[in-house]
Amino acid sequence: MNGPGAAPSRLLLGVCGLLLAAAGTEAGYLSWRVHGLKKTLAQASGQSQELEHTREAMSRRWEELQGKYEQLLRDHGSLAEEKSNLVAALTHTQAQLERHRQLAAERDVLEASLKKVGEESAETLLAAKDGDKLHLVRETADLWFHCLVMLAWHGLGPDDVLAELRRREGISGIDEKQSRDKD
């Protein structure tokens, strides 16, 4: 094919080759695009399956939470009663503790009051022994004051003591004391 008709054949072959190459490139591009679309579809399908699994898990969790919520609603009555009982018990315990504190404070005050009566009694006796009338009056006032505090502590007052003195009127001390021993 080296003759005068050979050049157009070569040209024709070259043009055909170019056309085939171009067509091949176009076909290659289309093949690449189809492959890319298939890959994208596969990824989307995988994501879709993953989303479906997530949706199913969330649905199961929702049903579980709903069950727990319904159980709480059923148990609410007993829970409210338990809470009420607990609050009542705590309130009672707190009241007992407060009462215990008050009693302890009252014992401390009573002990202090009794000590003061004892101290003032001794000081009154010493003032009487010394013979200083003003000192004796002042110590007696202190003694009476602390005796009144002691009486008040026990819910008593001067009228109770005066009533006892009126009851004893006309009775000797010895007879009165003997009547107390019989009671």
Side-chain angles (χ1 to χ4, degrees), residues 33 52 60 74 84:
R33 287 296 293 151
E52 182 62 24
R60 283 191 304 271
R74 284 191 296 272
S84 176

Side-chain angles (χ1 to χ4, degrees), residues 86-104:
L86 180 60
V87 167
L90 289 174
T91 302
H92 179 70
T93 303
Q94 186 177 12
Q96 284 181 321
L97 180 61
E98 185 58 35
R99 181 66 183 141
H100 178 71
R101 286 182 185 145
Q102 286 175 344
L103 289 174

